[in-house]
Amino acid sequence: MLDFAPQSPRLKPIKIGSITIDAPVILAPMSGVTDMPFRRLVKKHGASLVVSEMIASQAMIRECRKTMQMIQRSAEENPMAVQLAGCEPHVMGEAAKLNEDRGAHIIDINFGCPVKKVVNGHAGSSLMRDEVAAAKILEATVKAVKVPVTLKMRMGWNHENLNAPRLAKIAEECGIQMVTIHGRTRCQFYEGQADWSFIRNVKEAVSIPVIANGDINDFPDVLRALELSGADGVMIGRGAYGRPWFIHQVIEFLRTGEIPAAPSLRHQMDVIIEHLESMLEHYGSHAGLRIARKHIGWYSKGLPQSSEFRAAVNNVDEASKVRTLIDGFFQPLLDKGVERAA
C-alpha cells in the first residue's frame, strides 16, 4: 500500500455543466490512439469519461471522410467528449454544433497541441500566445452549443510566458466548465518532466474544476500529481497505452488506497483479440491491421520474447496471421502458468 488514507478520499465527483463525473480520472485525447475502438474498450473497463482524438474544426465542417470516421462514437462511451482544434471562432462554433447534433455530450477545445503543423495554423498551443483570439474562440464555441464546453492547454508557450492561470480565468468568464492543464510548455513538447506544482496556480485562479495531465503513468504518479497540483482529478494519456483497464484501476486505487491487481494474462489476451477485431471492423482490414500493430506492441510489453513477437506482427499483412501469432505468443505463456504481464 502507498502512503494513502482511504478515509480521506482523493476523489470527489465534479460537475461539468449539467454532467456529473463521479470519478474524475479521464482518458486524454491522443491523436492516432483514442479512436472509437480504444475509447470503447477503456469505457468498458470502467472509465468515467473518455475524450476523442483531436478533430480539426475546418475538416469537420467539410465532413472529410477520415474526420467523420474519427468522430464516430458508440453508446457505451457515454458521456463522451469530442475535442476540437481550430483558429476561426465561427468555424469552431459550427464544428461544435455539428458534434452536438451528432450526440457529443461535451466539447473540448484544444489549446495544447504542440505539433508544428497545428501551431503554424495558429491553432493548438499557438493560441496561448494570443489571448484575445483565444477568448473569441472560447466565447464562440460556448455560444454555439447547449452542451458544456471544456478546455485543454499547457502551462504556456514557454517558461517566459506561463499564462495558463490568466487564460483559465478568461476561459471561465467565457463559460468554459472545466480546464485541463498539461504540466509542460509548448516549447518543451514532451521533453523533461511535467510540472504538476505549477497547476496549483491555475486551480487557485478559477472556481471551475481543474484536471492535472502529463506523465501520470503509475499509482505513485497519481498521488503525487494530485498532491502537488491540488487538482480535482487527473487525465491519463500515454499511461493507458496497452492498458485500457488502467484508468479504472486508478479510480479503485483512489477510492480504497489499495493497488488493484493487474488483469490476468488470459484477460489481456482476450482484450487484444477484442481490440483487434474492433479495429478491423472500424477501419477495414488493411488500415485496421496497420493501426493495430502499435497497440499489440504496447499490450505485449514486458512479456518474455515480446520483441520477437512484435517484429513478427509487423511483418505480416493478413489479419488471420496476426490472430495466429497472438495465440502462438500467449498460449505457451499461459501453459507455463504465467499469470500476469510485468
Side-chain angles (χ1 to χ4, degrees), residues 62-138:
R62 293 198 306 267
E63 296 193 358
C64 295
R65 180 178 176 275
K66 182 179 179 182
T67 300
M68 301 313 285
Q69 187 179 50
M70 289 168 71
I71 65 165
Q72 287 182 23
R73 64 182 187 87
S74 63
E76 298 96 320
E77 296 177 66
N78 297 344
M80 183 259 188
V82 172
Q83 188 183 74
L84 295 174
C87 61
E88 300 170 281
H90 70 283
V91 174
M92 284 287 285
E94 187 175 345
K97 184 67 171 68
L98 284 170
N99 276 285
E100 179 185 41
D101 292 344
R102 284 178 161 269
H105 301 91
I106 297 168
I107 302 297
D108 186 62
I109 297 175
N110 184 306
F111 282 3
C113 180
V115 176
K116 185 178 292 186
K117 181 174 70 173
V118 175
V119 168
N120 287 348
H122 199 48
S125 56
S126 175
L127 285 160
M128 296 197 72
R129 294 187 295 179
D130 190 341
E131 293 176 8
V132 173
K136 290 178 180 177
I137 288 170
L138 296 169

Side-chain angles (χ1 to χ4, degrees), residues 122-174:
H122 199 48
S125 56
S126 175
L127 285 160
M128 296 197 72
R129 294 187 295 179
D130 190 341
E131 293 176 8
V132 173
K136 290 178 180 177
I137 288 170
L138 296 169
E139 187 176 17
T141 307
V142 169
K143 286 183 175 179
V145 295
K146 294 183 175 64
V147 298
V149 181
T150 61
L151 172 65
K152 187 172 188 289
M153 60 180 168
R154 290 185 167 228
M155 298 191 300
W157 178 258
N158 54 30
H159 277 89
E160 289 68 50
N161 297 278
L162 299 176
N163 63 331
R166 186 167 64 248
L167 192 51
K169 188 62 180 176
I170 292 170
E172 182 178 33
E173 292 169 353
C174 290

Side-chain angles (χ1 to χ4, degrees), residues 9-245:
R10 295 273 184 157
L11 275 184
K12 294 181 180 178
I14 62 171
K15 295 278 287 184
I16 307 175
S18 60
I19 298 172
T20 299
I21 305 298
D22 290 329
V25 180
I26 303 168
L27 175 66
M30 294 178 283
S31 293
V33 178
T34 54
D35 54 11
M36 186 177 74
F38 188 66
R39 294 193 311 265
R40 185 166 54 194
L41 203 51
V42 172
K43 199 75 164 88
K44 179 180 177 180
H45 278 87
S48 297
L49 182 65
V50 296
V51 187
S52 78
E53 50 191 326
M54 183 182 71
I55 309 294
S57 57
Q58 189 67 252
M60 176 72 208
I61 290 175
R62 293 198 306 267
E63 296 193 358
C64 295
R65 180 178 176 275
K66 182 179 179 182
T67 300
M68 301 313 285
Q69 187 179 50
M70 289 168 71
I71 65 165
Q72 287 182 23
R73 64 182 187 87
S74 63
E76 298 96 320
E77 296 177 66
N78 297 344
M80 183 259 188
V82 172
Q83 188 183 74
L84 295 174
C87 61
E88 300 170 281
H90 70 283
V91 174
M92 284 287 285
E94 187 175 345
K97 184 67 171 68
L98 284 170
N99 276 285
E100 179 185 41
D101 292 344
R102 284 178 161 269
H105 301 91
I106 297 168
I107 302 297
D108 186 62
I109 297 175
N110 184 306
F111 282 3
C113 180
V115 176
K116 185 178 292 186
K117 181 174 70 173
V118 175
V119 168
N120 287 348
H122 199 48
S125 56
S126 175
L127 285 160
M128 296 197 72
R129 294 187 295 179
D130 190 341
E131 293 176 8
V132 173
K136 290 178 180 177
I137 288 170
L138 296 169
E139 187 176 17
T141 307
V142 169
K143 286 183 175 179
V145 295
K146 294 183 175 64
V147 298
V149 181
T150 61
L151 172 65
K152 187 172 188 289
M153 60 180 168
R154 290 185 167 228
M155 298 191 300
W157 178 258
N158 54 30
H159 277 89
E160 289 68 50
N161 297 278
L162 299 176
N163 63 331
R166 186 167 64 248
L167 192 51
K169 188 62 180 176
I170 292 170
E172 182 178 33
E173 292 169 353
C174 290
I176 294 297
Q177 300 292 318
M178 182 185 81
V179 61
T180 299
I181 307 295
H182 182 114
R184 288 185 176 87
T185 66
R186 185 272 173 178
C187 290
Q188 284 182 280
F189 285 85
Y190 295 98
E191 299 296 322
Q193 176 68 36
D195 185 353
W196 300 320
S197 297
F198 177 85
I199 299 171
R200 185 173 290 274
N201 299 313
V202 179
K203 176 62 183 170
E204 292 172 353
V206 297
S207 58
I208 56 177
V210 173
I211 305 297
N213 174 232
D215 293 342
I216 301 173
N217 299 314
D218 57 29
F219 300 105
D221 288 342
V222 172
L223 289 184
R224 192 78 173 139
L226 288 171
E227 178 186 359
L228 292 175
S229 68
D232 300 287
V234 293
M235 179 176 279
I236 296 173
R238 288 174 288 177
Y241 284 4
R243 298 191 294 175
W245 49 80

